[in-house]
Amino acid sequence: MEPNPSRAEADRLLGIAEKLLQAKDFNGSRDFAVLAQETDPLLDGPDQILAVVDVLIASQKRINNHPDYYSLLQVDHRHRSDLDLVKKHYRRLAFLLHPDKNRFTFSDAAFRLVAEAWAVLSDSVKKLSFDNELNFYSKVDLVPTSTVMKNNVNQTTPSSSSAAAAAARRDHQDPMQQNKLPVRRSSPWAAAPAPERGSSSGGGGGAGGSSNTSDNTNNFWTACPYCYNLYEYPRVFVDCCLRCQNCDRAFHAASIAELPPIVRGRRPTIAVGGSFPWGLPL
């Protein structure tokens, strides 16, 4: 009778898996045990090595400084209320890991871990206490997804309606008002009301008397190089990457030395050189 070549190869793979298990290379031992089992499904030993390494790998997952008992018994957390399934997994692992039947290294340690897991999960009081700890340490999503989506909807709806109202107001403005350079202030960091562009100051009596810079020296003016809107921010944000409130694009917040002057009959604008905005009248 000719020897089975697949059995010889399976024995060789099983021997490698056993040596890796002795060297505490659990993942490598598991890989070779799977190969041995696939090479010869009737070979004794691969299922015992797999039981040992699976339990030892699962024991590395800790819940409040003790093992995850469901993972030790290879039970998914979604089925933890099914006591019959937990008992079935325990009996299978206890049969494979019993020291009288399993000759491989660390089988006794794996058997003790499985017995400890069953002692906890078979006791209703201990099981309830462990389930409470498991629920506490599993809550990583502090904000429910539905709440986040609801907040996003609430934030999106007003912005859409306000944009439509702003567009309607622009359509009804006179040409001189439409040609004004839009000036906005970031509301969370605003230090003083934005100056009224195009209007004369109390003692100026003319267009040249308008205030072009903020009285607060702790702030600076910058402009979006894409839509040319002006913004005032605290000086700590100079040369930072900010997001334009109008076009929603990121831009380099370069400081503008002074605002462009307002000249009657000419439309004020911002001339952009590269990515650095300069205030120049047309």
Side-chain angles (χ1 to χ4, degrees), residues 24-254:
K24 297 184 179 180
D25 184 358
F26 302 135
N27 292 318
S29 177
R30 190 182 195 285
D31 293 339
F32 277 94
V34 170
L35 289 176
Q37 193 174 50
E38 292 175 349
T39 303
D40 189 355
L42 301 179
L43 180 65
D44 293 333
D47 54 345
Q48 294 178 333
I49 289 185
L50 289 174
V52 172
V53 297
D54 285 342
V55 170
L56 294 179
I57 292 175
S59 66
Q60 298 174 1
K61 181 180 179 181
R62 313 296 291 182
I63 300 293
N64 196 17
N65 203 27
H66 52 69
D68 182 356
Y69 297 122
Y70 290 105
S71 297
L72 289 178
L73 297 183
Q74 302 175 12
V75 176
D76 193 284
H77 290 165
R78 296 172 297 181
H79 303 144
R80 58 188 179 184
S81 60
D82 190 349
L83 188 58
D84 291 337
L85 180 64
V86 174
K87 187 176 182 180
K88 178 180 178 181
H89 281 231
Y90 163 71
R91 287 182 173 179
R92 172 182 171 275
L93 290 173
F95 176 78
L96 291 173
L97 296 173
H98 197 280
D100 294 340
K101 298 182 178 296
N102 195 321
R103 60 179 178 82
F104 295 104
T105 310
F106 303 122
S107 61
D108 52 345
F111 181 79
R112 286 195 298 270
L113 288 171
V114 168
E116 178 185 355
W118 174 246
V120 172
L121 299 181
S122 61
D123 188 301
S124 59
V125 177
K126 295 180 180 178
K127 182 178 184 300
L128 180 60
S129 176
F130 177 72
D131 288 345
N132 292 334
E133 294 180 3
L134 190 63
N135 291 332
F136 177 79
Y137 286 94
S138 298
K139 290 181 180 179
V140 294
D141 188 6
L142 300 181
V143 181
T145 305
S146 58
T147 304
V148 175
M149 294 179 64
K150 182 178 180 181
N151 292 337
N152 291 339
V153 171
N154 293 337
Q155 293 175 2
T156 303
T157 304
S159 62
S160 301
S161 59
S162 61
R169 287 195 300 269
R170 287 197 299 268
D171 293 339
H172 290 84
Q173 286 177 352
D174 59 277
M176 290 298 296
Q177 292 290 332
Q178 291 182 4
N179 288 334
K180 282 187 177 181
L181 185 65
V183 178
R184 297 186 182 182
R185 187 188 298 272
S186 178
S187 56
W189 309 100
E196 189 69 28
R197 301 302 311 279
S199 61
S200 59
S201 61
S210 61
S211 175
N212 290 336
T213 58
S214 174
D215 294 336
N216 192 341
T217 58
N218 293 328
N219 297 348
F220 77 100
W221 286 92
T222 185
C224 173
Y226 304 105
C227 65
Y228 313 125
N229 276 354
L230 285 171
Y231 299 98
E232 186 179 15
Y233 288 96
R235 191 162 294 278
V236 293
F237 293 105
V238 173
D239 294 330
C240 293
C241 182
L242 304 179
R243 185 176 297 278
C244 178
Q245 301 177 25
N246 182 56
C247 64
D248 202 32
R249 299 178 67 175
F251 68 94
H252 183 144

